[in-house]
Amino acid sequence: MSQNAEKAPFGPAPSQKNLAGGEAAATVPQESPQRDGLFPVEPAPLSARPLVLKTRGRVEYLAHCPHCRDWHRHVHLGNVTGPCGVEYELQPKSGRRAA
């Protein structure tokens, strides 16, 4: 067995002793990266990719709800509220691009 395999790679960190009093040195708390402007604290909005449902009088969108996992019908894209009460965004599927 090698020396690296004998040592635990993630063992407890050695404590730093203060030379004057023998007490553990105070550590300065570091800011969490989620408090930064690059990482918002709120969770990402729920979204669903709808299927187009052509009815006799209008076009409807059939979406698999991200909350209750049931199918809901909506008459427009964008932010919608399902019958279960959850709000989510209906995002259209991107079409094929011409080559």
Side-chain angles (χ1 to χ4, degrees), residues 17-25:
K17 298 285 183 176
N18 187 352
L19 295 176
E23 298 175 6

Side-chain angles (χ1 to χ4, degrees), residues 32 34 56 89 92:
S32 172
Q34 291 183 350
R56 194 172 205 174
E89 183 179 3

Side-chain angles (χ1 to χ4, degrees), residues 13-16 24-30:
S15 62
Q16 297 176 355
T27 59
V28 178
Q30 296 179 355

Side-chain angles (χ1 to χ4, degrees), residues 7-89:
K7 294 181 181 179
F10 300 107
S15 62
Q16 297 176 355
K17 298 285 183 176
N18 187 352
L19 295 176
E23 298 175 6
T27 59
V28 178
Q30 296 179 355
E31 297 235 1
S32 172
Q34 291 183 350
R35 294 180 189 164
D36 196 342
L38 297 175
F39 302 102
V41 176
E42 69 258 1
L46 298 175
S47 63
R49 302 274 179 175
L51 297 174
V52 177
L53 179 65
K54 294 181 182 179
T55 60
R56 194 172 205 174
R58 62 183 172 190
V59 175
E60 296 183 359
Y61 301 97
L62 187 64
H64 203 166
C65 179
H67 178 70
C68 70
R69 309 305 295 168
D70 201 8
W71 290 96
H72 302 313
R73 291 169 70 169
H74 301 283
V75 294
H76 61 85
L77 296 173
N79 292 330
V80 295
T81 303
C84 61
V86 70
E87 293 182 11
Y88 54 95
E89 183 179 3

